[in-house]
Amino acid sequence: MTPGPVSAQRGGRPVVTFSAARLAFGDRVLWDGLDLAIEPGEFVAVLGPNGSGKTSFLRVLLGQYALRSGTVETTEAVGYIPQQHADDADPMAIRGRDLVGFGVDGNRWGLGLRGRARRRELVDRALDAVDARHYADAPLGVLSGGEQQRLRVAQAVVSEPDLLLCDEPLASLDPTNQHVVVDLIDRRRREAGTAVVFVTHEINPILPYVDRVLYLVGGRFRIGTPEQVMTTETLSELYGSDVEVLRVNGRLVVIGGEDAHHCVAPETPGSRPA
Amino acid sequence: MSATTTLAAERSFSDLWDFSTTADLLGYDFVQHALLAMALLGLVGGLLGPLIVARQMSFAVHGASELSVTGAAAALLAGFSVNLGGVIGAVVAAAVFGWMGNKARERDSVIGVVMAFGLGIGVLFLALYGRIGTGFALLTGQVVSVGVQGLVAIAITAAIVVAVLAVIYRPLLFASTDPRVAQARGVPVRTLSVVFAIVMGLACAQGVQIIGALLVMSLLITPGAAAARITANPVRALVLSVVFAEVAAIGGLLLSLAPKLPVSVFVTIISFVIYVACRIVGSRRVYRTR
């Protein structure tokens, strides 16, 4: 889709609005009765165990899945940051610079010869913003996971999105690179008022930035601030089993629940999930 | 028998340097047609190669080429145009492979299964037809007998390839090298996969007519694979791939004239030498990038 108006021009209207939304595949209901408005500049974390519909939530926002009932309205200007992993495609066939260039106009027909100068300028600026200029001409396949994810941020941001959809972009990165990537995403949010929807298994690296959490478990969900949702009471109710949430040195540790593995502190004895 | 063959081969290779014979032959219409046909096939193969390599469709090229032979054999038996039969066989096969998308692992075994069955059917058609000669020609090619009709067919194919790529190249490169984000950005990934496969099928069919099913890969894949070893810049890879393919196609034909050996022999040898050279150069380059 074409780069849309910058968020300032939206006049503070929500970038995403779900009303009584229901998503189901056959008899399996992923979520129902979802009312949610995401404001410009808001950082929403989407959490939940595998198969709870986190990725499907993103696919609805991308227009790839249709709701069973209810409505969803989203901005046209969407950037997408995927998980870093090897595609079935050849990572030696393009440079980092080409990946970012796809974000400018990769979805348009034609050869794009006329827009070359403008594309190059936009790409260079986006590369500078994520400090990736010095490795932008190397084949993608020789870059580290952290280097690739910085390019992914540049690729998503170069199209001036009002909404950034992040599908576990930190998975398989080390803590230092996780911090670098989250910081880049947050900087875009602060500077341009871009809303962020961040699907993740692990809330701790993004905890300082999160405004609201959408927590999905087996057809049920809770929406609220991390303080409201990430509590022993709320998660126990959501999972329908005993879940304990601890705060240790500013980190959240969830014990119990189907997906306990994602934030169990390794030193906690007897808490390994079955 | 084998002694005579060896002698013949020795004499042929010494004729390699018999440039006066080559020059004489270049005066003939059929040689000029062959030259033009090879140049057009080189252009087509060079343009498609980098995308075929990026999409990991080498085996699909082989599969489509073999099924082109099946289609041509069916046409031979049914009594209509062998070229058209070859086109239908290759395009149907390629479209199916393309519809299966970018998941190389799944596609791999299906191509093997379909190709084996298709070849079996092709052998049946040739057996029913009763003469095996034409079928064998489709495996090793017959560029010197390309004729005006064959030339028209490859020219139309080249025009289609250039026209289609001019429209879909940018989103196709996106979908080929970054499929998840391309899909998220609304690129019709599946449709592009089928369209590209059909175009590739057309190219395979003409490649089969000109250099044969067994050697199509030396013009459709090897030049693109060679270019990919020395650059990650997609535009540069495209240009290099076309240059490599033309050198192999035209050079192969010229070298084959005097010794009267099959064109395919020299096309594959030149193509392979270029590939090996690119690998050697490329391995140093990648090492430095790290």
Side-chain angles (χ1 to χ4, degrees):
Chain A
M1 284 137 247
T2 51
V6 294
S7 57
Q9 290 169 304
R10 296 187 59 86
R13 272 171 48 227
V15 289
V16 174
T17 312
F18 283 95
S19 307
R22 172 189 172 95
L23 182 69
F25 298 107
D27 291 339
R28 199 164 74 94
V29 178
L30 290 174
W31 26 269
D32 194 6
L34 178 67
D35 292 300
L36 173 66
I38 299 174
E39 305 293 333
E42 200 177 5
F43 198 122
V44 177
V46 182
L47 296 166
N50 289 333
S52 61
K54 300 191 299 287
T55 300
S56 301
F57 182 79
L58 284 190
R59 285 181 186 266
V60 169
L61 289 175
L62 287 167
Q64 291 174 355
Y65 288 165
L67 293 174
R68 187 62 67 82
S69 66
T71 59
V72 58
E73 281 174 48
T74 80
T75 168
E76 287 280 289
V78 175
Y80 175 72
I81 306 179
Q83 193 174 339
Q84 189 271 321
H85 72 77
D87 281 308
D88 282 326
D90 180 2
M92 300 303 283
I94 52 167
R95 303 161 296 172
R97 164 182 299 288
D98 301 309
L99 193 78
V100 178
F102 290 149
V104 178
D105 58 6
N107 50 348
R108 306 246 189 96
W109 302 109
L111 295 170
L113 294 175
R114 260 181 299 170
R116 274 170 76 194
R118 180 181 153 270
R119 187 185 318 120
R120 194 179 170 89
E121 197 185 308
L122 290 173
V123 167
D124 280 344
R125 208 186 304 157
L127 286 168
D128 286 339
V130 300
D131 191 24
R133 183 86 84 106
H134 57 285
Y135 61 79
D137 290 314
L140 203 58
V142 305
L143 302 177
S144 74
E147 288 168 334
Q148 290 190 24
Q149 288 307 81
R150 273 149 69 194
L151 290 170
R152 292 278 179 201
V153 174
Q155 181 192 38
V157 158
V158 74
S159 62
E160 296 289 336
D162 294 330
L163 172 64
L164 266 181
L165 301 178
C166 309
D167 193 359
E168 309 218 23
L170 306 183
S172 81
L173 297 189
D174 59 47
T176 311
N177 277 302
Q178 287 187 343
H179 185 77
V180 169
V181 171
V182 178
D183 209 55
L184 288 170
I185 291 170
D186 184 59
R187 199 201 309 165
R188 167 71 198 182
R189 178 173 80 116
R190 279 184 283 111
E191 288 173 358
T194 302
V196 177
V197 171
F198 200 107
V199 166
T200 181
H201 255 84
E202 162 70 283
I203 191 175
N204 282 310
I206 58 169
L207 195 55
Y209 310 99
V210 172
D211 296 314
R212 279 197 290 173
V213 171
L214 168 61
Y215 207 118
L216 303 161
V217 183
R220 285 162 298 176
F221 63 86
R222 285 288 182 284
I223 303 171
T225 63
E227 291 73 21
Q228 290 168 337
V229 175
M230 303 303 287
T231 64
T232 300
E233 294 72 32
T234 308
L235 290 193
S236 294
E237 198 188 319
L238 204 49
Y239 277 102
S241 64
D242 284 341
V243 177
E244 199 170 343
V245 182
L246 304 174
R247 268 190 181 269
V248 183
N249 296 333
R251 292 170 62 84
L252 283 172
V253 181
V254 178
I255 301 168
E258 289 170 61
D259 63 332
H261 62 274
H262 76 267
C263 26
V264 162
E267 64 275 13
T268 313
S271 61
R272 290 230 163 263
Chain B
M1 178 70 187
S2 70
T4 335
T5 323
T6 317
L7 271 177
E10 274 169 16
R11 199 179 54 225
S12 301
F13 276 111
S14 67
D15 288 345
L16 253 183
W17 317 113
D18 185 358
F19 292 120
S20 62
T21 310
T22 304
D24 286 348
L25 284 168
L26 281 174
Y28 288 95
D29 272 359
F30 76 93
V31 176
Q32 288 168 3
H33 288 162
L35 207 57
L36 196 51
M38 287 305 278
L40 288 167
L41 187 62
L43 175 68
V44 166
L47 287 175
L48 295 177
L51 286 162
I52 291 170
V53 172
R55 298 180 66 79
Q56 303 183 323
M57 289 188 78
S58 300
F59 196 37
V61 168
H62 190 50
S65 302
E66 300 290 1
L67 287 160
S68 175
V69 174
T70 304
L76 204 60
L77 186 63
F80 68 99
S81 160
V82 172
N83 197 317
L84 188 62
V87 167
I88 292 170
V91 166
V92 169
V96 171
F97 301 153
W99 184 78
M100 294 174 62
N102 218 5
K103 296 215 163 51
R105 238 168 286 120
E106 175 197 358
R107 202 173 51 199
D108 189 58
S109 54
V110 176
I111 293 173
V113 169
V114 173
M115 191 174 85
F117 174 69
L119 266 183
I121 298 291
V123 171
L124 171 69
F125 290 155
L126 290 176
L128 290 175
Y129 182 67
R131 271 182 294 148
I132 217 81
T134 313
F136 188 71
L138 285 172
L139 291 178
T140 58
Q142 45 189 359
V143 65
V144 285
S145 60
V146 63
V148 175
Q149 270 189 326
L151 201 53
V152 169
I154 177 69
I156 291 172
T157 306
I160 292 174
V161 169
V162 170
V164 171
L165 282 186
V167 175
I168 71 170
Y169 179 77
R170 190 167 27 164
L172 180 65
L173 183 68
F174 192 3
S176 304
T177 53
D178 191 11
R180 285 174 298 156
V181 177
Q183 188 144 30
R185 290 286 303 268
V187 173
V189 174
R190 172 67 63 93
T191 308
L192 283 176
S193 177
V194 174
V195 170
F196 179 71
I198 289 174
V199 170
M200 189 197 82
L202 287 173
C204 288
Q206 295 316 315
V208 166
Q209 302 288 328
I210 294 169
I211 55 170
L214 297 177
L215 303 165
V216 165
M217 294 206 277
S218 66
L219 281 187
L220 256 65
I221 295 164
T222 316
R229 300 307 303 190
I230 54 172
T231 181
N233 178 338
V235 176
R236 205 170 291 168
L238 200 62
V239 172
L240 283 174
S241 170
V242 171
V243 171
F244 293 162
E246 291 293 359
V247 168
I250 296 174
L253 178 63
L254 291 178
L255 286 183
S256 75
L257 290 176
K260 299 181 188 64
L261 280 167
V263 175
S264 313
V265 176
F266 294 96
V267 173
T268 45
I269 289 172
I270 295 173
S271 203
F272 183 69
V273 167
I274 292 173
Y275 177 75
V276 171
C278 286
R279 272 204 84 108
I280 293 167
V281 173
S283 63
R284 292 203 190 115
R285 186 181 148 276
V286 171
Y287 185 70
R288 266 210 311 272
T289 321
R290 279 179 194 275

